[in-house]
Amino acid sequence: EPEPSTEGGELPVNILIREILIDGYQMVGEEKLAYSGEIRDVTDNQDYWNKPITMAIKGGMAEKSQLLIDGVFDQRDDILKSVLTMGLEQLSLNGVALSQNPALPLTLEQGIADIAANFSIEGDSLSGSVDGLVNQVKLLVANAAEGNPTMQRLASALEGVNQLVMDLNVKGSVNDPIIRLKSNLDRI
């Protein structure tokens, strides 16, 4: 094959990374969520290596399998086509700060989360959704605006919640997304 041209700032070589291994953790509140996986077939020239980039990650807390992420990033037709899915199952949450606003500092003291997310990009078009359910919820509002009866009533209502339900939808373009979030806390 002829060597690639260096005109227009192109590299005189083609780069292909067949496998990137991932091994790490993320603190979620007071718990460590460990994960591992791989990203495959990363290249700067899709014509050279006619495969999409793929990603697969698994993980969890305390050696339980609770996290699964899969992704495909395809630029073979000069238009980015990406699909990313994520699932969290029966993930124990402890001490997760939901709001650090001094007027109403809100912490998820405990809960068991099930979350499913999927996102896709085709060219500049973006779409996606996140459906979340957290059971066995205990919310804590620390020092809720002492002397402010409205904030104290809001704190009382939040502390009575035992389940969180969330529905998030994303549409539009990558540069101008339209995000809609509904939850059972909206009425509070």
Side-chain angles (χ1 to χ4, degrees):
E1 282 185 42
E3 293 191 20
S5 165
T6 58
E7 292 178 27
E10 292 181 20
L11 292 173
V13 297
N14 289 313
I15 296 171
L16 169 63
I17 302 170
R18 289 185 190 256
E19 183 176 59
I20 299 171
L21 298 178
I22 298 169
D23 186 14
Y25 71 90
Q26 176 68 45
M27 294 303 294
V28 179
E30 299 166 356
E31 303 288 332
K32 185 185 283 190
L33 174 65
Y35 53 84
S36 63
E38 62 186 26
I39 300 174
R40 299 186 61 83
D41 301 319
V42 178
T43 183
D44 65 330
N45 185 344
Q46 289 291 331
D47 294 330
Y48 167 70
W49 188 254
N50 194 21
K51 291 183 180 181
I53 299 168
T54 60
M55 175 175 62
I57 298 173
K58 293 181 180 181
M61 293 179 178
E63 299 183 17
K64 293 179 185 174
S65 179
Q66 298 164 306
L67 168 69
L68 182 62
I69 300 174
D70 281 307
V72 176
F73 309 95
D74 193 346
Q75 285 185 290
R76 290 178 291 174
D77 296 328
D78 293 329
I79 295 174
L80 178 63
K81 295 177 185 174
S82 299
V83 176
L84 181 70
T85 60
M86 181 192 80
L88 288 170
E89 293 183 1
Q90 294 294 294
L91 186 71
S92 178
L93 301 174
N94 294 298
V96 178
L98 299 178
S99 167
Q100 297 177 352
N101 184 328
L104 194 71
L106 182 62
T107 302
L108 176 62
E109 282 294 294
Q110 69 179 39
I112 305 292
D114 287 295
I115 299 172
N118 64 71
F119 292 93
S120 66
I121 297 173
E122 185 164 344
D124 191 38
S125 296
L126 170 67
S127 67
S129 66
V130 179
D131 295 314
L133 173 64
V134 183
N135 284 308
Q136 300 175 28
V137 166
K138 180 179 177 189
L139 293 173
L140 174 65
V141 182
N143 306 320
E146 294 173 13
N148 183 334
T150 302
M151 285 299 181
Q152 289 175 347
R153 283 193 295 274
L154 180 56
S156 258
L158 288 171
E159 288 176 349
V161 170
N162 59 16
Q163 184 181 67
L164 295 176
V165 181
M166 178 186 69
D167 176 22
L168 180 136
N169 285 291
V170 180
K171 292 186 179 188
S173 70
V174 173
N175 294 325
D176 191 18
I178 300 165
I179 300 170
R180 182 179 56 88
L181 173 64
K182 293 190 320 186
S183 83
N184 64 324
L185 298 184
D186 293 347
R187 61 185 167 74
I188 296 175

